[in-house]
Amino acid sequence: MDRRMFLRSTGATLWLPFLASALPRGARAAVPTPRRALWWFVPNGLVSDYVRPTQLGAGYDLPLALQGIAPLQSRISVISGLKNRAAIGYDAHEEAMPTLLGDDHVDNTFNGPLDAAMTVDQFAAQQIGSETPFGSLQLGTDEPYISGGGNVDVLYRTLSWAGPSTPISPLTDPKTVFQRMFGGTSSDLTAQEIEIRATLRKSLLDSVLDRTKALDARLNPADKAKLDQYTTGVRELELRLDQLEGLSCPEPGEPDASPGYQQKIALMTDLMVVALQCDFTRLVTFLTGASTALTTYNWLGHSNDHHTLSHNWSFSNTAARDLQQVYDWQVQRYVELCTKLADIPTEDGDLLSSTQVILLSEFGESNLHQAEPLTFLLAGGEAGDIVQGQHRAFPNQPHSNLWLSVLEHLQCDPQGYGTTTTGPLDLRST
């Protein structure tokens, strides 16, 4: 009996965090800490010349666009030099987006059938998604973007694909995400209601044991052994539930309707942290904006939108400076999420150590829409023996090799993923 069976049986919908100490003593060592992954997407590309350190290895230098890494640099690595081979030669947002996590060329007509490949998060969800309430979460923002019409808009706004014709639209309203995660929870139960729930639970377990006793006389020795194992499990479950009484997931305050962009990023960050902490899911994708996003970072003093800056940087020093400020602002938000994960203790360290958090974008040269060389930020994952705090260069290797490394971290079978992969990247050496 797992957490889901217990909660459904008692009529409760509140999910509890993964608690190894609540397992039977003999089972604790056999149950590994769950592995997790989160992809934080920044639109309009990351110019590699602006986000690639000049030094390799530990203690790498921080260019202006990566200054936000400083507070957590020892737990974040820069991965540079990779190529999105499935998108090279097409030079378009609508090709770079679906191949970023999908690794297969999109042979798509404007109004014809969609044919994007299954993305790495969904590939992993097929293997580990059934272990959590949500197999995966797709989150984003609804900021303005340049519309391309037809299928192009779907490609611009979608990072996760369950199959060639199955885009998974991100949830962009924090209030909706909150309600999906916590709708039906019972955080405000009275003492009397808690007692009633406990009584119902005990009655249910007693009923299960009584029914199994009635079967005992009719079973052969082998089936009696199976039944005894089952009833022992029920008794152990009751002991575990007694240990868990009063524990629940931390529930953030419900978001207000229609928050601004900065507030929405902060709210989604808190919701993602809680989703991972409480084991609602182990796989999250987050779009800070659709490809071709038109957000103007006016709080940084900018007058031109993000997409315009992503092209103008090549011939305007002011645009180049502003674009690097956009990167640094996004990196700071990414680091804030990683820091929140690092502040949550777990059985073998903290939540960040069991979670790979990847900051990524669709282009390495945004003015010409080139999907090479790509630069990624990778935080956490030390529970899988990743050595962090490095600048690692992998010149000309397919970017999908990084996704093989993520699948390795998640302990998923990579067989069948990708069309350009050659093997996982070495992230365990110095």
Side-chain angles (χ1 to χ4, degrees):
M1 286 191 175
D2 61 10
R3 293 185 303 144
R4 289 166 291 172
M5 293 175 66
F6 154 57
L7 291 168
R8 289 170 184 157
S9 298
T10 57
T13 56
L14 178 63
W15 277 71
L16 300 173
F18 178 81
L19 297 168
S21 61
L23 295 170
R25 188 182 303 275
R28 294 176 192 173
V31 179
T33 301
R35 302 283 183 85
R36 307 166 177 89
L38 186 151
W39 290 264
W40 178 293
F41 173 79
V42 179
N44 296 316
L46 289 172
V47 178
S48 286
D49 287 346
Y50 292 160
V51 295
R52 182 180 54 228
T54 59
Q55 301 170 358
L56 291 172
Y60 57 87
D61 56 300
L62 293 176
L64 173 62
L66 296 186
Q67 290 297 306
I69 286 179
L72 208 64
Q73 185 172 352
S74 65
R75 303 196 64 180
I76 298 175
S77 291
V78 180
I79 312 295
S80 66
L82 299 173
K83 291 185 175 184
N84 180 352
R85 291 182 177 176
I88 290 175
Y90 297 94
D91 303 330
H93 290 265
E94 56 267 30
E95 186 72 33
M97 278 297 288
T99 56
L100 190 54
L101 296 185
D103 192 36
D104 194 4
H105 166 60
V106 178
D107 186 13
N108 175 71
T109 58
F110 185 79
N111 287 316
L114 292 164
D115 67 347
M118 177 182 290
T119 49
V120 64
D121 60 308
Q122 295 308 296
F123 188 86
Q126 285 191 331
Q127 300 183 46
I128 65 174
S130 62
E131 300 174 15
T132 54
F134 301 98
S136 62
L137 280 177
Q138 292 74 41
L139 307 177
T141 68
D142 54 2
E143 293 302 287
Y145 66 99
I146 298 174
S147 173
N151 287 340
V152 174
D153 281 359
V154 176
L155 297 170
Y156 284 177
R157 294 182 285 106
T158 306
L159 191 60
S160 295
W161 293 75
S165 59
T166 315
I168 306 178
S169 297
L171 296 173
T172 60
D173 176 24
K175 195 176 187 72
T176 299
V177 177
F178 175 89
Q179 290 169 345
R180 290 202 180 183
M181 288 172 57
F182 293 100
T185 61
S186 304
S187 59
D188 57 349
L189 291 177
T190 66
Q192 182 180 10
E193 289 170 330
I194 292 173
E195 184 177 353
I196 291 173
R197 186 172 66 169
T199 301
L200 288 173
R201 186 197 76 209
K202 188 175 188 308
S203 175
L204 172 70
L205 295 176
D206 287 344
S207 176
V208 170
L209 292 174
D210 287 342
R211 291 185 182 187
T212 56
K213 288 177 184 177
L215 291 173
D216 190 72
R218 308 200 321 250
L219 301 177
N220 61 35
D223 285 340
K224 282 185 178 181
K226 292 179 182 178
L227 183 63
D228 180 66
Q229 183 181 32
Y230 172 75
T231 54
T232 299
V234 172
R235 294 188 186 96
E236 288 184 344
L237 175 62
E238 184 165 21
L239 291 174
R240 280 184 276 162
L241 296 179
D242 288 340
Q243 294 178 39
L244 294 174
E245 198 69 49
L247 294 176
S248 65
C249 290
E251 181 175 329
E254 184 167 1
D256 296 330
S258 303
Y261 182 71
Q262 296 180 74
Q263 185 187 11
K264 183 173 292 186
I265 295 286
L267 290 170
M268 287 295 197
T269 294
D270 288 341
L271 289 168
M272 287 187 282
V273 169
V274 170
L276 296 173
Q277 178 184 5
C278 296
D279 214 23
F280 282 123
T281 190
R282 297 170 190 170
L283 301 164
V284 180
T285 56
F286 179 52
L287 283 84
T288 62
S291 194
T292 72
L294 291 169
T295 304
T296 299
Y297 288 64
N298 49 34
W299 58 93
L300 298 179
H302 297 176
S303 57
N304 286 321
D305 65 79
H306 186 182
H307 184 262
T308 298
L309 293 176
S310 75
H311 288 282
N312 289 358
W313 68 269
S314 61
F315 54 84
S316 166
N317 290 335
T318 299
R321 180 204 63 200
D322 289 355
L323 185 62
Q324 291 175 76
Q325 290 176 350
V326 168
Y327 295 167
D328 184 53
W329 187 87
Q330 283 284 1
V331 166
Q332 289 180 50
R333 307 291 78 75
Y334 164 83
V335 170
E336 285 175 2
L337 179 140
C338 294
T339 301
K340 289 175 184 289
L341 295 176
D343 288 341
I344 299 172
T346 62
E347 290 290 321
D348 57 356
D350 56 50
L351 195 54
L352 183 60
S353 66
S354 64
T355 307
Q356 284 191 353
V357 187
I358 307 102
L359 185 145
L360 68 162
S361 194
E362 71 270 57
F363 299 125
E365 206 285 28
S366 57
N367 184 44
L368 299 178
H369 289 176
Q370 293 178 346
E372 59 169 328
L374 295 174
T375 303
F376 301 82
L377 301 185
L378 173 67
E382 295 94 339
D385 297 326
I386 292 176
V387 177
Q388 279 294 5
Q390 308 283 315
H391 172 206
R392 302 179 185 275
F394 299 94
N396 300 317
Q397 286 204 37
H399 82 294
S400 49
N401 283 354
L402 178 57
W403 306 147
L404 292 184
S405 299
V406 174
L407 291 172
E408 188 175 67
H409 162 79
L410 293 169
Q411 299 174 310
C412 291
D413 182 357
Q415 189 68 32
Y417 173 74
T419 63
T420 70
T421 57
T422 60
L425 303 180
D426 178 12
L427 304 176
R428 295 190 171 107
S429 62
T430 55

